[in-house]
Amino acid sequence: MHLFVTGGAGFIGSALIRHLLTETQHEVLNLDKLTYAGNLESLASVSDNPRYQFLQADIADSQAVGEALARFQPDAVMHLAAESHVDRSIDGPADFIQTNIVGTYSLLESVRAYWLGLDAERKAAFRFHHISTDEVYGDLHGVDDLFTETTPYAPSSPYSASKAASDHLVRAWHRTYGLPVVLTNCSNNYGPYHFPEKLIPLMILNALEGKPLPVYGNGQQIRDWLFVEDHARALIEVVTRGAVGETYNIGGHNEQKNLDVVRSICALLEELAPQKPAGVSRFEDLITFVKDRPGHDLRYAIDAGKIERDLGWTPRETFETGLRKTVQWYLDNLDWCRRVQDGSYQRERLGATI
């Protein structure tokens, strides 16, 4: 297949593309605007693959997207391009409205025009796969409650509200125009190449530098953690085998309190990085409770039964095995981390450009 991936230089997008190019024979066009979160160094291992192409463009640029679609002739579009950091959405929601809502609308229109021009067989086989988040559902209050594909939307942050809006647009383009879509809503991802502003890499890198490990509120917020490479496998199953118009929730079956996640990181660092920074006797002593962020959801948890029943997907990693792999990856790739932290990753671009 020819797969047109938006946001392929981001955390989940780059994991997806690495998997596509190393584990399948699909052709990939990566279209990414390269905002601060887009890092082509995350694709360095596959950037010379003859089945990979990269185009720097904005999903809201209808001309650039239309020309790329016409040239690449994709069999499916996998839409991952999004602003995704909740804290940034609270401080500056405008970018989230522009990219996640306006950008998704513009992309849908570009893709619809391309799809209408396909012959009947390719038109029937085409898919628009929209990748979203469990945060659109708000939070759960009962200890046994789980998000399902029919849970009502109740977003709490500008980020989750913008993703909820994009989900609604995709479903509307299916209902109104017949565009063949599939949607996925995933739980918290973690793993290699995660941008250092996110919880797990931030805690690892701060600990290694002897800096405070900031935990919001009392740290009792619960998230379902999904190893990013498991997520990539699930996305490929959905885009190739998912039923048109259906939504699939993707979760890791790994509910953890934020405070317990940080403590687990500290315990792994005690084992894997015993040479501590000056003045630090235990990594856990660096944990610092800070004022909770506005509108902080208490608990997320996903019922991933549908994707298991319909497509046979289950996560391979437990939280323990995935977190160990993640911590070890950061210890082995501190140069990648430093280049993100000092901004030098934005000054050098890798990959074939069309």
Side-chain angles (χ1 to χ4, degrees):
M1 294 176 68
H2 282 208
L3 298 175
F4 186 112
V5 178
T6 72
F11 170 50
I12 298 172
S14 64
L16 170 64
I17 290 176
R18 290 193 303 273
H19 190 89
L20 285 168
L21 293 173
T22 57
E23 303 297 330
T24 80
Q25 292 303 308
H26 300 311
E27 305 259 345
V28 178
L29 170 60
N30 172 16
L31 183 144
D32 198 294
K33 186 179 178 180
L34 296 182
T35 63
Y36 78 95
N39 187 354
L40 290 178
E41 291 185 11
S42 301
L43 293 162
S45 63
V46 296
S47 61
D48 292 331
N49 191 302
R51 292 183 287 111
Y52 173 68
Q53 300 175 64
F54 170 70
L55 174 64
Q56 183 174 353
D58 188 338
I59 55 172
D61 184 342
S62 299
Q63 180 175 344
V65 172
E67 290 174 356
L69 290 167
R71 185 165 53 243
F72 186 65
Q73 290 291 303
D75 302 299
V77 171
M78 303 183 75
H79 177 34
L80 296 96
E83 294 283 348
S84 66
H85 191 47
V86 174
D87 287 358
R88 285 180 182 262
S89 81
I90 293 170
D91 295 336
D95 287 344
F96 290 74
I97 304 304
Q98 176 61 34
T99 297
N100 299 354
I101 302 177
V102 179
T104 297
Y105 154 74
S106 181
L107 179 65
L108 282 165
E109 283 293 83
S110 297
V111 171
R112 182 166 73 97
Y114 164 77
W115 171 70
L116 287 171
L118 298 176
D119 63 44
E121 183 178 354
R122 292 193 65 208
K123 194 174 178 182
F126 183 82
R127 297 290 183 273
F128 182 95
H129 181 183
H130 179 62
I131 289 85
S132 190
T133 172
D134 61 354
E135 296 193 40
V136 298
Y137 300 124
D139 58 0
L140 296 163
H141 300 285
V143 294
D144 297 320
D145 294 343
L146 297 170
F147 295 135
T148 72
E149 288 79 3
T150 58
T151 298
Y153 279 25
S156 303
S157 69
Y159 160 62
S160 57
S162 68
K163 288 298 290 184
S166 68
D167 292 7
H168 291 319
L169 288 172
V170 171
R171 292 192 178 98
W173 259 243
H174 172 60
R175 178 77 179 266
T176 302
Y177 302 113
L179 186 68
V181 308
V182 287
L183 293 90
T184 50
N185 295 80
C186 68
S187 59
N188 275 39
N189 279 228
Y190 70 101
Y193 298 100
H194 207 177
F195 200 79
E197 69 183 357
K198 299 300 179 102
L199 176 68
I200 289 176
L202 178 67
M203 295 299 140
I204 296 169
L205 297 175
N206 274 19
L208 293 175
E209 295 175 11
K211 295 179 179 178
L213 308 181
V215 175
Y216 280 131
N218 58 10
Q220 299 303 297
Q221 305 88 354
I222 295 172
R223 299 294 182 263
D224 177 10
W225 291 92
L226 173 65
F227 193 61
V228 70
E229 293 172 16
D230 280 332
H231 189 195
R233 289 191 303 104
L235 294 178
I236 295 168
E237 291 296 321
V238 171
V239 78
T240 56
R241 299 175 53 226
V244 171
E246 291 296 319
T247 297
Y248 300 89
N249 280 352
I250 306 172
H253 307 300
N254 288 306
E255 289 184 58
Q256 299 283 333
K257 294 177 182 177
N258 285 350
L259 181 58
D260 291 339
V261 171
V262 178
R263 285 173 171 161
S264 296
I265 292 168
C266 291
L268 282 168
L269 288 174
E270 292 287 347
E271 174 190 346
L272 300 174
Q275 295 298 112
K276 298 181 181 65
V280 176
S281 58
R282 295 190 316 151
F283 285 115
E284 195 167 315
D285 293 339
L286 296 170
I287 293 174
T288 304
F289 295 96
V290 299
K291 183 180 178 181
D292 209 352
R293 73 182 179 207
H296 202 170
D297 291 330
L298 180 59
R299 176 173 173 258
Y300 302 151
I302 275 194
D303 178 352
K306 179 178 178 178
I307 191 172
E308 180 177 358
R309 292 189 302 271
D310 292 4
L311 303 179
W313 175 88
T314 56
R316 293 176 181 169
E317 300 293 342
T318 65
F319 185 68
E320 291 72 25
T321 62
L323 188 64
R324 176 176 288 273
K325 288 181 178 181
T326 301
V327 172
Q328 188 64 62
W329 185 88
Y330 279 94
L331 292 173
D332 294 340
N333 291 273
L334 289 174
D335 285 346
W336 180 91
C337 301
R338 303 302 178 224
R339 289 173 62 77
V340 172
Q341 291 174 315
D342 67 20
S344 58
Y345 74 103
Q346 292 184 299
R347 295 191 289 272
E348 297 180 19
R349 302 304 189 189
L350 302 172
T353 301
I354 64 169

